[in-house]
Amino acid sequence: MNADEKRLTPMLTQYRQIKTRFPDAIVLFRLGDFYETFDADAKIAARELELVLTSRSFAKGVRLAMAGVPHHHVQSYIAKLIEKGYKVALVEQLEDPKKVKKLVKRDVIRVITPGTVVEDALLRAKSENYLAAIVRERPRPRSVHPEQPVPRSSRENEVQRSAVEGFGLAVIDISTGEFATTQIEGIDAKSKLLDELERVQASEYVLPQSLADDEEFSARLKAIRNARISPVDDRAAETENARAELLDHFGVATLEPFGCEELPLAIGAAGAVLHYLKSNQPILPRSTGEGEKVGALAHLNHLWTYSLADYMTLDSATRRNLELTAPFISAPDLKHFSQRSLFGVLDHSVTAMGARLLKRWIHQPLLDLEKINARLDAVDELCHSATDAFLREDLRKLLDGLYDVERLVGRIGFGNANARDLIGLKRALLRLPQIKARLREAHSARLRELENQLDELQDVADLIQRALVDDPPIFIKEGGLIKSGYEPLLDELRDGAARGKSWLSELEEKEKQRTGIKNLRVRYNEVFGFFIEVPRSLGHLIPKDYERRATISHAERYVTPELKSQEAHIIATEDRVKDLEYDLFVEVRREVATHAARLQTAARILAQLDALGALAEAATHYGYVKPIVDDGEVIEIREGRHPVVERYLREGDAERFVPNDARLDSDAQRVIILTGPNMSGKSVFIRQVALMVLMAQMGSFVPASSARFGLTDRIFTRVGASDDIAQGRSTFLVEMSETSHILRHATPRSLVVLDEVGRGTSTYDGISLAWAIAEEIHNVVGAKTLFATHYHELTQLEFAESIREHGSAVKNYTMAIKERGDEVVFLRQVIEGGAEKSFGIHVARLAGLPSRVVERAEQVLRGLEESRQTADERRRTADSEHEIGSQSSAVSGQHEYALVGAIHESPARYDVRVATWRNIFRELSDVDVANMTPVQALNLLNELQMRVKAIEYLGEE
């Protein structure tokens, strides 16, 4: 110990020893009625929590900054720090300051990070709070056997040449006890991992130090959610060390029952996250009275191993574009805006745990037909049971108002549940027999299965009923928790305390009579103990045996020898009552925690019943129908509607949602080219088809009059314009990257939704790319596709030779309109055929663009259309002209005539060639030959010659 440390006060020495153990945490240090921060922590706390920054001298020459918060408001301040990504170490007094004459023992009772929160005040009721651990296997080249045949497609070639990498992912929601892991391998492992992390939306990432040091990888994680990254030693993620951690925690000899014995990366991630939790959550002695189970994590009693192959693949763009759980564009000024998503429409849950499960179902549509149809059958029975019309209503009433059992069990297992939490659990358990009785009358396989699995937990409910009063105080150390008759010793002590209180009452009456002071009172506080309080104005009536203890503004406080002799006994008895009540409560809580697995199973069943009931309620309210989901290859919808748009048309708007049919199959109508004016409903239509496919495979009814869906393995969307400035990616680059991802990963079982692909570049570049992308999807990928576009040229795809060679399955559809003079009426109806124009100027007028701008745009449009008509007339008559007035016009006519036939083969290529010739002629006519130097003329001639060769090459192509 150096000289400076010797000069420090004992309290500051105690603080610094704790801070040394948790250098990366903000230490909240309990001092009396406040939690204080010191030095650098105080400066951070003052800035982030808007506290007053003070300072105090702790030794000669040692003055530290301080900032504190009241102990009864600490949770709200911790919530702010956690939300900003900080780690908090909560230091509590482990002894009663009134009972010790030396420095009070203190230690860390909780280390709180964004991913380790269990307190309700710090959580969102309808969202999980995941702590995610990731481990990575270094990429290694894939070897191809010399005798292995060369793959036929370029896509397969890429797979063979590329490196193989793998990831392990484990997620824990410590507030509910959910613990799951998976292993992700293959050519697109990183892409799949990032998509899964997009679903999980972890509050904190645990990474081996080597992976945390990978700045590019960390940046990708931060782009998904700006969550805290917490490194652990690489050894914690090594398979054998991780395996040992898991075996020790679960008390088993093998991981086979958990399904991950042969998945080393999954084991590594699960072991790493468990190691992180245990190393950051201290285990305190039971006598401290705080968190006796903290660190043991007893409610993490099972590890689920899952596979991404069990669920429909939804990449981050699709989740965002389809607005599954949040709107695409934030607009907080709109009423109920947070509900403007698929989750917002379907969420008729009556419990928080049901809402969380429903959200998970939306993000993880099933691929197992048996499970899909089991859910659909359960929803069907809850919608309109032929034998029990009130089944759904009765179940929802029984579930309504239930405490969040999943999170109650989490707090009980974590060791920080109070008596009110246990009473809330008891009230939930008392409804289980009624819920089970109602389920016995169900007929669908899934509801019957849930009834068979539901444990009534009567023993746990009886324990809480016997032990705890029905309306306990919020604080568990102040007494008043335990029922009379539960513990004989407690009853005896309470009788003694009651006799003490009775004696005090008798003393008060006796002293009133002896002194003649009618408003004399016997009182108590923690500073003076018991005392007799008398108004100052009556001080002349005080007997001589009264000993003054204190003076206040309006009264004098005294003690008597008789009161002093009884005080210690009364206080000691009351303290023993409180201590024994606390010990009994802790025993009850510990006993309940031993049933965590049973309680969690019951909670999951209740959540499923609530989620199924929510889907049935939505179906009944909104007129949804049960879809047919099979292993066919047809998507057929009759009178389909967009589930969100139809709910949130503006109030009072005369326009009603117009239903539309849709059909996609593998043979005749695999790719739909959808054209039509702006605001006519193209985007709504293509998204509603995707949403209905997703709804059906999550087990929901759909907004249609009838629907059939062949099993879809993936949904891809490329919608809207967005950039990624932080990564230096333009809007168009993002668009092309997302499209590339679709072309590389879609399968014939996939559904692809494309909206305005190619609009981020010049017109002819965009048309060419859109044409080529549509060809690739039709000819190579084979996915069912809805392609909405303003490029009317794409309607020629249906007749193109390049498509017919592959069994043309392209069909043109458009959005119907009516023109009444200058007025355009959008009919919102999808009909066969193609559109001729987009009515963009009409939409600009509706958007409130200044009238002079709209009028000028109309003038420019008329001029452009006239120019195009003139050019078209020249092209049509070029073959009948025998005399050409000038060399430039002759060249123009000959080349345009030569290109006329090309449109029948490839309109996109034809337009590019014509446009290039026109640009050449325009530049020639603008050249100032008289003022050109010979060198400039030669350079121009060389450039034009190169462009002509390019046109000829395009024609040969």
Side-chain angles (χ1 to χ4, degrees), residues 697-836:
Q697 290 189 209
M698 66 171 276
S700 171
F701 282 23
V702 298
S705 61
S706 67
R708 175 186 292 273
F709 301 98
L711 200 65
T712 298
D713 63 352
R714 303 179 177 199
I715 296 177
F716 295 95
T717 66
R718 161 86 281 284
V719 176
S722 62
D723 54 26
D724 187 354
I725 297 175
Q727 299 293 322
R729 304 200 309 163
S730 68
T731 300
F732 186 64
L733 182 56
V734 170
E735 177 183 337
M736 290 297 101
S737 296
E738 291 181 0
T739 306
S740 173
H741 175 76
I742 293 171
L743 296 180
R744 292 174 182 273
H745 296 92
T747 74
R749 278 283 186 183
S750 302
L751 174 64
V752 176
V753 172
L754 301 175
D755 196 356
E756 300 301 341
V757 169
R759 300 294 289 186
T761 184
S762 66
T763 300
Y764 292 110
D765 275 358
I767 293 173
S768 303
L769 283 167
W771 185 289
I773 289 166
E775 273 190 358
E776 177 76 5
I777 291 174
H778 179 275
N779 298 344
V780 179
V781 177
K784 301 175 188 68
T785 304
L786 295 165
F787 197 138
T789 181
H790 281 293
Y791 291 142
H792 307 136
E793 294 82 357
L794 294 189
T795 58
Q796 295 300 315
L797 270 167
E798 184 176 347
F799 314 106
E801 183 63 30
S802 58
I803 295 293
R804 291 201 301 270
E805 289 175 353
H806 292 80
S808 179
V810 176
K811 295 294 180 183
N812 292 320
Y813 284 84
T814 187
M815 305 302 299
I817 62 165
K818 276 187 179 180
E819 292 187 71
R820 298 173 180 169
D822 291 336
E823 183 183 2
V824 177
V825 179
F826 299 126
L827 301 180
R828 314 293 187 197
Q829 195 71 50
V830 178
I831 60 175
E832 286 195 54
E836 295 183 356

Side-chain angles (χ1 to χ4, degrees), residues 659-675:
N660 276 294
D661 297 345
R663 179 183 173 87
L664 289 164
D665 57 52
S666 298
D667 300 325
Q669 196 159 290
R670 188 164 61 249
V671 177
I672 288 179
I673 303 297
L674 181 63
T675 53

Side-chain angles (χ1 to χ4, degrees), residues 32-98:
D33 290 337
F34 283 80
Y35 285 97
E36 295 286 353
T37 57
F38 300 96
D39 205 13
D41 285 357
K43 294 175 183 177
I44 294 173
R47 181 183 70 244
E48 300 290 3
L49 303 177
E50 299 180 356
L51 303 175
V52 175
L53 187 66
T54 62
S55 64
R56 174 179 164 184
S57 178
F58 289 90
K60 186 176 181 179
V62 180
R63 191 172 189 86
L64 295 181
M66 293 179 62
V69 299
H71 75 95
H72 52 283
H73 289 152
V74 70
Q75 291 295 340
S76 61
Y77 288 104
I78 291 175
K80 292 179 181 178
L81 291 172
I82 294 303
E83 186 178 350
K84 295 174 183 290
Y86 290 101
K87 179 179 180 179
V88 175
L90 192 64
V91 177
E92 188 55 84
Q93 297 171 162
L94 305 184
E95 297 175 309
D96 187 342
K98 295 181 294 183

Side-chain angles (χ1 to χ4, degrees), residues 3 5 55 120 132 134 146 150-151 217 279 300 307 315 435 478 510 568 643 662 731 758 799 869 871 897:
E5 290 176 329
S55 64
D120 269 353
I134 306 166
V150 178
F217 188 79
S279 62
L300 298 180
S307 170
D315 59 27
I435 293 172
E478 301 303 319
K510 184 177 71 172
T731 300
F799 314 106
Q869 289 172 359
Y897 174 77

Side-chain angles (χ1 to χ4, degrees), residues 454-469:
L454 183 59
D455 181 348
E456 296 183 15
L457 289 155
Q458 191 65 50
D459 53 336
V460 180
D462 288 344
L463 171 63
I464 301 173
Q465 179 72 22
R466 291 196 321 272
L468 302 184
V469 299

Side-chain angles (χ1 to χ4, degrees), residues 908-930:
R909 186 179 299 140
Y910 163 78
D911 283 345
V912 171
R913 294 166 66 191
V914 170
T916 307
W917 276 114
R918 287 175 180 166
N919 289 335
I920 292 173
F921 300 146
R922 187 179 299 109
E923 289 178 25
L924 281 173
S925 65
D926 291 341
V927 169
D928 187 359
V929 179

Side-chain angles (χ1 to χ4, degrees), residues 192-251:
K192 289 181 178 178
L193 171 72
L194 297 175
D195 288 340
E196 182 66 358
L197 291 174
E198 183 77 27
R199 177 190 72 83
V200 168
Q201 287 293 304
S203 298
E204 183 178 0
Y205 300 111
V206 174
L207 306 179
Q209 186 65 60
S210 58
L211 187 55
D213 292 339
D214 186 333
E215 294 182 2
E216 181 184 355
F217 188 79
S218 296
R220 295 295 295 272
L221 297 183
K222 292 282 188 179
I224 294 171
R225 182 175 179 181
N226 190 23
R228 177 184 178 88
I229 293 178
S230 299
V232 295
D233 192 291
D234 282 19
R235 289 173 295 182
E238 291 175 359
T239 303
E240 291 311 311
N241 294 334
R243 186 191 306 275
E245 186 83 62
L246 293 168
L247 294 177
D248 177 68
H249 176 77
F250 292 115

